Amino acid sequence: MCSGLFTILVLFVLESHFFFLGYTHFLLSIGMGLALLAIAEKILRNLPKPPVLWLLLYVCGTITLYLTHSYGLAVFTIAVTIRMLWLPSKDRRSLVIACFLVFLPPLLVGIQKLANPSSIETFWTYFAPRTELLNRFEEPFFRFEKPLDRVFALAHLITLLILARTFRSQSFSSNEFRFHTTLFACFILLFLSLPVGSMKAWDVDTRVLLPAMVFLVFALTPAQSARIAKFSGPAVGVFLLTSLVAAVQLVFCEQKLMQADSRLEGLMEVLAIVPPAQKLLMVDADSYRYDPTPHQVSWYVLEQKGMIPSLFSAETDAPFSYFHVKEKLPTPPSKWYLEGKFHEFLQHLPTYDFVIANRPLVLPPEVASQLRVVVENESGALYERLR
């Protein structure tokens, strides 16, 4: 039974668009945060004199998590803070250690903010009311075709509910159950509060659904899970059904990925023509939600020592900015072409030497007169700015 729930969780992660779109650092940070939470649990259970080795692992792990991804650090900070509601010992030494566990992650952020204090003000300006919450709940399952993805999401929900219903050994009054359900509720509330995007980071709200799913599975898992050796009859059927749905979905995704690969190869042929050490602007001319081509221009920085905008988070005044560039390149809004904001593009065009797009552009005369077509194919086009 426990294995069945964790299989559902694994399939959810593998099929969610976080894994599918390559949110590698985000997924890694969530896993690291869970590992650090286990270390914190080990420390708390050995209060008031925890092993020094576990404290050192906690410090090193927190610093590593901070450098990996800010979202994982935030999730971990929330989890370890809520864990203190069930502190096993409340003597002075234990409270000091607990405060250290809680305040170390935000302390790292505070130290970093001393070098870039303006980003805090910028961050809060992105919190605003939004609509279409139902669509956002479904978002982690969406890839290419919403109707089909909605069926897969519903299948996961039904199987999770059926498996949870079969549990009889779970104690709903245990501290573990209360802790995990509190975290689940907390992350759902965060989902309802966070914006869709912030400072060129997207899916800010739906990312909390992943840790919410994780802690929901933990809440439904019996504390004596290690003693459960095999599935019951209904669980076997649900497990097989979910695996079949996952297999069908992955086959469908493979076909779409093969199509995306051909587009990426065509764009790389265009990118290879750009001379070294130039300033290059990428134009997203495709309205498709999950087009991987806009990120492909990053190879130009690695292979040709060129420059592209928004290479590091510091350029967007993000709250977590580790690296900076000497010359910050101004850039028009990411969807300026699709929204027809050509005047904003013309304001930033003099900064760049070349413009690359993920499909040939249809430009008005005042814009077309500023550019020369270098090469075009079905996957993209390269333009040189006329001086």
Side-chain angles (χ1 to χ4, degrees):
M1 294 298 298
C2 176
S3 301
L5 273 177
F6 277 105
T7 301
I8 299 297
L9 176 60
V10 170
L11 291 176
F12 172 80
V13 173
L14 290 179
E15 295 180 32
S16 71
H17 75 203
F18 303 122
F19 183 86
F20 182 75
L21 295 180
Y23 285 50
T24 309
H25 284 81
F26 165 69
L27 292 174
L28 178 62
S29 70
I30 297 298
M32 292 175 60
L34 293 175
L36 275 176
L37 190 59
I39 293 176
E41 183 69 24
K42 184 75 173 180
I43 294 173
L44 293 174
R45 291 185 178 183
N46 286 273
L47 290 177
K49 294 182 178 181
V52 176
L53 177 60
W54 288 107
L55 289 173
L56 290 176
L57 286 175
Y58 184 87
V59 173
C60 295
T62 303
I63 295 174
T64 304
L65 179 58
Y66 167 73
L67 294 173
T68 302
H69 202 285
S70 59
Y71 218 103
L73 183 70
V75 168
F76 166 67
T77 304
I78 293 171
V80 77
T81 301
I82 293 178
R83 178 61 182 83
M84 297 307 158
L85 297 176
W86 293 275
L87 194 64
S89 176
K90 296 186 179 180
D91 58 90
R92 180 178 299 178
R93 181 184 178 91
S94 299
L95 290 174
V96 170
I97 295 176
C99 290
F100 168 76
L101 297 180
V102 170
F103 289 109
L104 178 61
L107 178 63
L108 293 175
V109 179
I111 294 174
Q112 192 273 332
K113 287 301 100 187
L114 294 176
N116 188 23
S118 63
S119 62
I120 299 178
E121 299 177 2
T122 305
F123 179 73
W124 289 108
T125 61
Y126 285 83
F127 282 82
R130 54 190 174 81
T131 58
E132 300 182 352
L133 284 178
L134 179 59
N135 288 340
R136 298 304 296 168
F137 262 115
E138 298 171 337
E139 186 72 13
F141 289 93
F142 288 167
R143 292 166 196 79
F144 298 105
E145 297 181 5
K146 282 194 175 184
L148 183 60
D149 289 332
R150 188 172 285 121
V151 171
F152 293 138
L154 183 61
H156 272 287
L157 177 61
I158 293 175
T159 52
L160 181 63
L161 292 176
I162 294 176
L163 280 176
R165 183 178 174 81
T166 60
F167 281 124
R168 294 294 183 266
S169 60
Q170 173 68 304
S171 174
F172 295 106
S173 61
S174 65
N175 288 339
E176 288 80 7
F177 177 78
R178 292 174 178 174
F179 171 52
H180 293 135
T181 51
T182 301
L183 281 176
F184 170 74
C186 178
F187 288 124
I188 292 299
L189 288 175
L190 275 177
F191 164 76
L192 298 174
S193 306
L194 290 172
V196 174
S198 175
M199 292 153 293
K200 298 188 178 180
W202 293 104
D203 300 323
V204 173
D205 57 341
T206 56
R207 295 192 197 205
V208 297
L209 294 178
L210 178 57
M213 178 72 169
V214 170
F215 289 112
L216 176 60
V217 170
F218 287 171
L220 297 175
T221 303
Q224 300 84 9
S225 59
R227 301 178 184 176
I228 301 177
K230 60 182 180 179
F231 291 139
S232 65
V236 172
V238 171
F239 168 71
L240 293 177
L241 175 61
T242 308
S243 300
L244 177 62
V245 171
V248 172
Q249 188 179 28
L250 291 176
V251 169
F252 175 78
C253 289
E254 181 188 14
Q255 300 300 318
K256 293 295 184 179
L257 284 174
M258 292 177 63
Q259 298 175 13
D261 282 343
S262 63
R263 288 201 61 197
L264 291 174
E265 291 175 0
L267 187 63
M268 287 300 292
E269 294 176 0
V270 175
L271 191 61
I273 301 176
V274 184
Q278 302 294 308
K279 296 177 181 178
L280 178 65
L281 176 64
M282 174 67 194
V283 178
D284 186 5
D286 198 325
S287 59
Y288 194 64
R289 171 67 175 88
Y290 295 142
D291 185 8
T293 53
H295 298 283
Q296 198 73 0
V297 295
S298 300
W299 285 106
Y300 179 66
V301 179
L302 298 174
E303 297 182 346
Q304 298 289 346
K305 302 186 184 303
M307 292 185 65
I308 61 174
S310 303
L311 191 59
F312 297 122
S313 59
E315 296 178 69
T316 60
D317 289 329
F320 292 81
S321 52
Y322 312 116
F323 304 105
H324 301 256
V325 293
K326 294 182 178 179
E327 182 182 357
K328 181 178 178 179
L329 295 178
T331 177
S334 57
K335 299 294 183 181
W336 67 265
Y337 177 79
L338 298 175
E339 296 173 356
K341 299 179 179 179
F342 297 103
H343 64 284
E344 297 193 28
F345 169 69
L346 290 175
Q347 292 176 0
H348 296 87
L349 180 59
T351 306
Y352 297 92
D353 304 301
F354 289 87
V355 175
I356 190 171
N358 50 8
R359 64 178 60 252
L361 302 178
V362 179
L363 300 171
E366 63 271 18
V367 179
S369 62
Q370 305 282 334
L371 301 171
R372 180 182 69 87
V373 179
V374 178
V375 64
E376 286 184 351
N377 61 27
E378 295 181 354
S379 301
L382 179 65
Y383 304 87
E384 182 179 7
R385 178 177 63 87
L386 298 176
R387 294 168 174 79

